[in-house]
PDB file of all heavy atoms in Angstrom:
ATOM      1  N   TYR R  96      41.647 -79.727   2.196  1.00 96.00           N
ATOM      2  CA  TYR R  96      40.414 -79.217   2.807  1.00 96.00           C
ATOM      3  C   TYR R  96      40.266 -79.636   4.268  1.00 96.00           C
ATOM      4  O   TYR R  96      39.715 -78.875   5.069  1.00 96.00           O
ATOM      5  CB  TYR R  96      39.202 -79.589   1.955  1.00 96.00           C
ATOM      6  CG  TYR R  96      39.305 -78.957   0.587  1.00 96.00           C
ATOM      7  CD1 TYR R  96      39.309 -79.731  -0.564  1.00 96.00           C
ATOM      8  CD2 TYR R  96      39.460 -77.585   0.451  1.00 96.00           C
ATOM      9  CE1 TYR R  96      39.440 -79.147  -1.816  1.00 96.00           C
ATOM     10  CE2 TYR R  96      39.602 -77.000  -0.798  1.00 96.00           C
ATOM     11  CZ  TYR R  96      39.588 -77.782  -1.924  1.00 96.00           C
ATOM     12  OH  TYR R  96      39.738 -77.200  -3.158  1.00 96.00           O
ATOM     13  N   VAL R  97      40.772 -80.796   4.652  1.00 97.00           N
ATOM     14  CA  VAL R  97      40.764 -81.178   6.064  1.00 97.00           C
ATOM     15  C   VAL R  97      41.647 -80.212   6.853  1.00 97.00           C
ATOM     16  O   VAL R  97      41.244 -79.686   7.906  1.00 97.00           O
ATOM     17  CB  VAL R  97      41.240 -82.635   6.259  1.00 97.00           C
ATOM     18  CG1 VAL R  97      41.593 -82.907   7.712  1.00 97.00           C
ATOM     19  CG2 VAL R  97      40.189 -83.615   5.785  1.00 97.00           C
ATOM     20  N   LEU R  98      42.863 -79.974   6.358  1.00 96.00           N
ATOM     21  CA  LEU R  98      43.761 -79.048   7.036  1.00 96.00           C
ATOM     22  C   LEU R  98      43.184 -77.639   7.085  1.00 96.00           C
ATOM     23  O   LEU R  98      43.324 -76.935   8.093  1.00 96.00           O
ATOM     24  CB  LEU R  98      45.132 -79.026   6.353  1.00 96.00           C
ATOM     25  CG  LEU R  98      45.964 -80.294   6.494  1.00 96.00           C
ATOM     26  CD1 LEU R  98      47.225 -80.209   5.643  1.00 96.00           C
ATOM     27  CD2 LEU R  98      46.314 -80.533   7.955  1.00 96.00           C
ATOM     28  N   LEU R  99      42.517 -77.232   6.014  1.00 95.00           N
ATOM     29  CA  LEU R  99      41.900 -75.909   5.983  1.00 95.00           C
ATOM     30  C   LEU R  99      40.800 -75.794   7.034  1.00 95.00           C
ATOM     31  O   LEU R  99      40.734 -74.805   7.772  1.00 95.00           O
ATOM     32  CB  LEU R  99      41.356 -75.601   4.588  1.00 95.00           C
ATOM     33  CG  LEU R  99      40.633 -74.263   4.419  1.00 95.00           C
ATOM     34  CD1 LEU R  99      41.517 -73.094   4.843  1.00 95.00           C
ATOM     35  CD2 LEU R  99      40.172 -74.102   2.981  1.00 95.00           C
ATOM     36  N   VAL R 100      39.931 -76.797   7.119  1.00 95.00           N
ATOM     37  CA  VAL R 100      38.860 -76.768   8.123  1.00 95.00           C
ATOM     38  C   VAL R 100      39.454 -76.697   9.529  1.00 95.00           C
ATOM     39  O   VAL R 100      39.028 -75.880  10.357  1.00 95.00           O
ATOM     40  CB  VAL R 100      37.921 -77.991   7.979  1.00 95.00           C
ATOM     41  CG1 VAL R 100      36.993 -78.126   9.173  1.00 95.00           C
ATOM     42  CG2 VAL R 100      37.123 -77.898   6.688  1.00 95.00           C
ATOM     43  N   VAL R 101      40.448 -77.517   9.808  1.00 94.00           N
ATOM     44  CA  VAL R 101      41.074 -77.523  11.133  1.00 94.00           C
ATOM     45  C   VAL R 101      41.721 -76.169  11.424  1.00 94.00           C
ATOM     46  O   VAL R 101      41.546 -75.607  12.518  1.00 94.00           O
ATOM     47  CB  VAL R 101      42.103 -78.669  11.251  1.00 94.00           C
ATOM     48  CG1 VAL R 101      42.941 -78.530  12.508  1.00 94.00           C
ATOM     49  CG2 VAL R 101      41.399 -80.023  11.217  1.00 94.00           C
ATOM     50  N   SER R 102      42.446 -75.618  10.465  1.00 93.00           N
ATOM     51  CA  SER R 102      43.113 -74.336  10.702  1.00 93.00           C
ATOM     52  C   SER R 102      42.097 -73.208  10.903  1.00 93.00           C
ATOM     53  O   SER R 102      42.313 -72.302  11.715  1.00 93.00           O
ATOM     54  CB  SER R 102      44.077 -73.993   9.563  1.00 93.00           C
ATOM     55  OG  SER R 102      43.382 -73.585   8.403  1.00 93.00           O
ATOM     56  N   LEU R 103      40.982 -73.261  10.194  1.00 91.00           N
ATOM     57  CA  LEU R 103      39.956 -72.234  10.367  1.00 91.00           C
ATOM     58  C   LEU R 103      39.268 -72.358  11.725  1.00 91.00           C
ATOM     59  O   LEU R 103      38.943 -71.347  12.358  1.00 91.00           O
ATOM     60  CB  LEU R 103      38.933 -72.306   9.239  1.00 91.00           C
ATOM     61  CG  LEU R 103      39.455 -71.842   7.874  1.00 91.00           C
ATOM     62  CD1 LEU R 103      38.495 -72.239   6.762  1.00 91.00           C
ATOM     63  CD2 LEU R 103      39.721 -70.344   7.863  1.00 91.00           C
ATOM     64  N   ILE R 104      39.056 -73.573  12.196  1.00 91.00           N
ATOM     65  CA  ILE R 104      38.500 -73.769  13.542  1.00 91.00           C
ATOM     66  C   ILE R 104      39.468 -73.224  14.587  1.00 91.00           C
ATOM     67  O   ILE R 104      39.058 -72.539  15.537  1.00 91.00           O
ATOM     68  CB  ILE R 104      38.171 -75.256  13.789  1.00 91.00           C
ATOM     69  CG1 ILE R 104      36.975 -75.671  12.932  1.00 91.00           C
ATOM     70  CG2 ILE R 104      37.886 -75.522  15.276  1.00 91.00           C
ATOM     71  CD1 ILE R 104      36.729 -77.164  12.898  1.00 91.00           C
ATOM     72  N   LEU R 105      40.748 -73.495  14.384  1.00 91.00           N
ATOM     73  CA  LEU R 105      41.748 -72.952  15.305  1.00 91.00           C
ATOM     74  C   LEU R 105      41.796 -71.430  15.237  1.00 91.00           C
ATOM     75  O   LEU R 105      41.900 -70.754  16.265  1.00 91.00           O
ATOM     76  CB  LEU R 105      43.131 -73.543  15.001  1.00 91.00           C
ATOM     77  CG  LEU R 105      43.320 -75.025  15.312  1.00 91.00           C
ATOM     78  CD1 LEU R 105      44.669 -75.508  14.815  1.00 91.00           C
ATOM     79  CD2 LEU R 105      43.167 -75.278  16.805  1.00 91.00           C
ATOM     80  N   ALA R 106      41.707 -70.883  14.033  1.00 88.00           N
ATOM     81  CA  ALA R 106      41.733 -69.424  13.868  1.00 88.00           C
ATOM     82  C   ALA R 106      40.530 -68.764  14.530  1.00 88.00           C
ATOM     83  O   ALA R 106      40.625 -67.640  15.025  1.00 88.00           O
ATOM     84  CB  ALA R 106      41.792 -69.062  12.391  1.00 88.00           C
ATOM     85  N   MET R 107      39.398 -69.460  14.551  1.00 86.00           N
ATOM     86  CA  MET R 107      38.193 -68.946  15.210  1.00 86.00           C
ATOM     87  C   MET R 107      38.398 -68.815  16.716  1.00 86.00           C
ATOM     88  O   MET R 107      37.869 -67.902  17.340  1.00 86.00           O
ATOM     89  CB  MET R 107      37.029 -69.928  15.004  1.00 86.00           C
ATOM     90  CG  MET R 107      36.046 -69.554  13.968  1.00 86.00           C
ATOM     91  SD  MET R 107      34.648 -70.689  14.025  1.00 86.00           S
ATOM     92  CE  MET R 107      35.288 -72.066  13.076  1.00 86.00           C
ATOM     93  N   ASN R 108      39.144 -69.746  17.260  1.00 85.00           N
ATOM     94  CA  ASN R 108      39.226 -69.864  18.716  1.00 85.00           C
ATOM     95  C   ASN R 108      40.568 -69.457  19.305  1.00 85.00           C
ATOM     96  O   ASN R 108      40.746 -69.534  20.517  1.00 85.00           O
ATOM     97  CB  ASN R 108      38.913 -71.309  19.120  1.00 85.00           C
ATOM     98  CG  ASN R 108      37.516 -71.699  18.701  1.00 85.00           C
ATOM     99  OD1 ASN R 108      36.561 -71.029  19.056  1.00 85.00           O
ATOM    100  ND2 ASN R 108      37.400 -72.757  17.921  1.00 85.00           N
ATOM    101  N   ALA R 109      41.508 -69.048  18.476  1.00 81.00           N
ATOM    102  CA  ALA R 109      42.822 -68.643  18.975  1.00 81.00           C
ATOM    103  C   ALA R 109      43.165 -67.271  18.400  1.00 81.00           C
ATOM    104  O   ALA R 109      42.676 -66.892  17.351  1.00 81.00           O
ATOM    105  CB  ALA R 109      43.877 -69.672  18.578  1.00 81.00           C
ATOM    106  N   SER R 110      44.004 -66.579  19.087  1.00 80.00           N
ATOM    107  CA  SER R 110      44.389 -65.247  18.605  1.00 80.00           C
ATOM    108  C   SER R 110      45.784 -65.253  17.987  1.00 80.00           C
ATOM    109  O   SER R 110      46.412 -64.218  17.878  1.00 80.00           O
ATOM    110  CB  SER R 110      44.320 -64.247  19.760  1.00 80.00           C
ATOM    111  OG  SER R 110      45.182 -64.652  20.793  1.00 80.00           O
ATOM    112  N   SER R 111      46.231 -66.396  17.568  1.00 84.00           N
ATOM    113  CA  SER R 111      47.572 -66.539  17.012  1.00 84.00           C
ATOM    114  C   SER R 111      47.629 -66.017  15.571  1.00 84.00           C
ATOM    115  O   SER R 111      46.819 -66.413  14.719  1.00 84.00           O
ATOM    116  CB  SER R 111      47.987 -68.013  17.038  1.00 84.00           C
ATOM    117  OG  SER R 111      49.156 -68.219  16.282  1.00 84.00           O
TER     118      SER R 111
END
Side-chain angles (χ1 to χ4, degrees):
Y96 298 121
V97 164
L98 291 173
L99 178 56
V100 168
V101 169
S102 74
L103 289 167
I104 290 169
L105 291 173
M107 258 188 278
N108 299 305
S110 59
S111 169

